[in-house]
């Protein structure tokens, strides 16, 4: 699976989580899940960026 496909899956999971997000006081597990997804998204974007830079060399 390409980095772009993985990024798209993570973004979709974030969108789904935010749709389920309560207006007041989300569960701690939801907050933790969002943080983990955002970290994974950032990691994948950095990897994709690095691979793109390597391919342009």
């Amino acid at each position: 699976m390409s980095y772009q496909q993985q990024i798209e899956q993570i973004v979709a999971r974030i969108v789904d989580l935010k749709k389920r997000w309560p207006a007041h006081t989300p569960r701690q597990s939801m907050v933790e899940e969002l943080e983990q997804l955002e970290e994974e998204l950032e990691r994948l974007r950095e990897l994709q960026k690095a691979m793109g830079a390597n391919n342009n060399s």
Side-chain angles (χ1 to χ4, degrees):
M1 181 181 305
S2 72
Y3 288 129
Q4 186 60 39
Q5 290 171 321
Q6 292 177 53
I7 288 169
E8 290 169 6
Q9 283 186 344
I10 297 293
V11 169
R13 289 176 63 191
I14 290 172
V15 168
D16 178 63
L17 179 62
K18 287 184 176 182
K19 284 180 185 176
R20 297 183 283 120
W21 202 267
H24 301 283
T25 318
R27 292 187 318 260
Q28 182 62 31
S29 63
M30 292 180 83
V31 174
E32 291 172 2
E33 182 179 359
L34 179 60
E35 289 173 354
Q36 290 172 351
L37 289 169
E38 289 175 339
E39 288 173 8
E40 180 67 7
L41 180 60
E42 181 64 25
R43 186 186 72 80
L44 287 168
R45 285 182 171 160
E46 288 296 322
L47 286 169
Q48 183 182 43
K49 184 177 174 182
M51 292 302 291
N54 289 341
N55 289 337
N56 292 334
S57 300

